[in-house]
Amino acid sequence: LPKYEFILASRVGEKSNVGMIQLNRPKALNALCNALVSDLTNAVALFDNDSSIGAIVITGSEKAFAAGADIKEMRDLTFSSCISKRLLEELNLLTSCKKPIIAAVNGYALGGGCELAMMCDIIYAGDKAKFGQPEITIGTIPGAGGTQRIARSCGKSKAMEICLTGNQFTAQEAEKMGLVSKIIPADQLVAESIKLGERIASMSPVIVALCKESVNRAFETSLAEGLNFEKRMFYGTFATKDQKEGMTAFIEKRSPNFSNN
Ligand code: CO8
């Protein structure tokens, strides 16, 4: 795997089938400077195209998942420079990854850090994690999905309160709101997230990709269209060898041997 400046990337899990990305810019609490975002999107693309990898985990340090966009890089931006640089469009590439991405959040997930976690497919939080969208306190607003994704997963009142006050909220509150799926003691968070990645990586990759796409469709369309989309994807699974293998293995009382076909 390539060496990156602001992240560490490795293959983890008993079968080395989980791609691990650790944000590694400790001096700035993993603030998402442009170079870090490039490293991150490159590493995700590499794992997405690596057939030995079935799921990806993104984590930070115990102190910070990521403390947001880099405020020092942002201060002197202008409207026209944002347009010409297509600011934040690169980070959005993460959402086109076919493989499930798990955010393992310890410490601060603020601003762009919270948004990065919400771009992932599943969030596991350490018991001391702190979330928030503090942009309003520094004269801007969330720009990488915060207003939209919190509204969709937690409703309007929570989204408004979080985005308009900039107040931090705890892992426990985040779980209650449905933003994170599980809280784990901080020192076990990464190991548990890898286990989750291994569980997903034990499934058929092609079926996992169809399943992820179907769940994501729920956020993009009406219920009737989404149900139709899901049904077509479901029908589509019967064109794969892995569906035959999965059901045959069940009937023969053995574990399946998926092939990504
Ligand atoms: N940008 C740049 N540097 C940062 C950032 C940041 N977001 N956060 C922390 N740092 C730096 C500090 O400047 C400090 O550096 P130095 O030692 O050189 O002064 C170092 O990290 C340690 O930080 P603190 O001393 O502040 O550590 P504390 O433990 O006292 O406080 C906090 C931790 C509460 C997390 C505090 O650092 C903080 O409030 N950080 C800023 C949080 C914030 O406002 N984030 C939102 C940024 S705006 C944003 O994210 C826009 C979203 C658009 C999408 C972005 C996608 C990339």
Side-chain angles (χ1 to χ4, degrees):
L1 289 172
K3 279 252 178 286
Y4 299 96
E5 189 178 0
F6 292 121
I7 65 167
L8 302 168
S10 55
R11 295 187 183 85
V12 297
E14 261 173 45
K15 296 183 176 158
S16 297
N17 56 3
V18 177
M20 166 64 89
I21 297 172
Q22 185 180 10
L23 309 185
N24 186 33
R25 195 186 170 210
K27 280 189 194 140
L29 303 181
N30 293 330
L32 304 165
C33 61
N34 297 323
L36 189 155
V37 170
S38 283
D39 282 355
L40 176 61
T41 52
N42 288 335
V44 168
L46 215 67
F47 284 140
D48 199 22
N49 293 320
D50 178 342
S51 59
S52 72
I53 295 294
I56 298 166
V57 174
I58 299 179
T59 195
S61 66
E62 287 231 352
K63 167 134 198 208
F65 178 73
D70 191 302
I71 298 169
K72 293 167 192 166
E73 264 183 9
M74 273 190 304
R75 188 189 57 182
D76 296 327
L77 288 173
T78 63
F79 179 72
S80 56
S81 69
C82 292
I83 296 275
S84 59
K85 284 184 194 164
R86 298 169 177 263
L87 194 78
L88 299 180
E89 284 189 20
E90 188 178 9
L91 187 60
N92 207 41
L93 292 174
L94 292 190
T95 59
S96 55
C97 180
K98 296 183 299 294
K99 294 174 186 170
I101 307 181
I102 300 153
V105 177
N106 265 329
Y108 294 112
L110 302 178
C114 187
E115 293 173 302
L116 168 60
M118 291 189 291
M119 278 182 197
C120 297
D121 301 301
I122 300 173
I123 307 178
Y124 272 9
D127 54 359
K128 296 186 187 70
K130 283 275 174 67
F131 297 82
Q133 297 290 159
E135 289 89 342
I136 196 97
T137 68
I138 55 169
T140 184
I141 69 170
T147 64
Q148 303 303 298
R149 292 200 172 92
I150 298 175
R152 275 174 163 75
S153 64
C154 315
K156 175 171 164 174
S157 183
K158 285 287 183 197
M160 287 289 188
E161 189 179 347
I162 290 164
C163 295
L164 293 174
T165 64
N167 290 343
Q168 292 178 12
F169 52 100
T170 62
Q172 291 70 22
E173 289 169 293
E175 189 193 32
K176 213 167 108 195
M177 283 181 231
L179 196 74
V180 315
S181 57
K182 207 181 247 187
I183 302 179
I184 293 165
D187 59 346
Q188 294 159 36
L189 172 71
V190 171
E192 288 300 316
S193 302
I194 293 170
K195 270 193 214 153
L196 173 64
E198 287 181 288
R199 170 80 180 150
I200 294 168
S202 73
M203 310 299 171
S204 158
V206 61
I207 303 297
V208 164
L210 295 180
C211 191
K212 168 169 167 168
E213 206 182 331
S214 287
V215 174
N216 273 333
R217 192 48 74 104
F219 298 96
E220 303 289 350
T221 191
S222 69
L223 180 60
E225 285 297 328
L227 291 171
N228 192 42
F229 182 86
E230 180 199 70
K231 195 95 57 254
R232 297 290 156 194
M233 289 295 198
F234 173 71
Y235 294 168
T237 64
F238 293 91
T240 67
K241 286 188 182 145
D242 281 348
Q243 171 272 323
K244 298 290 176 282
E245 169 60 14
M247 295 191 187
T248 303
F250 175 83
I251 292 162
E252 292 177 354
K253 301 188 190 299
R254 59 172 175 84
S255 17
N257 222 327
F258 291 126
S259 66
N260 198 21
N261 275 301

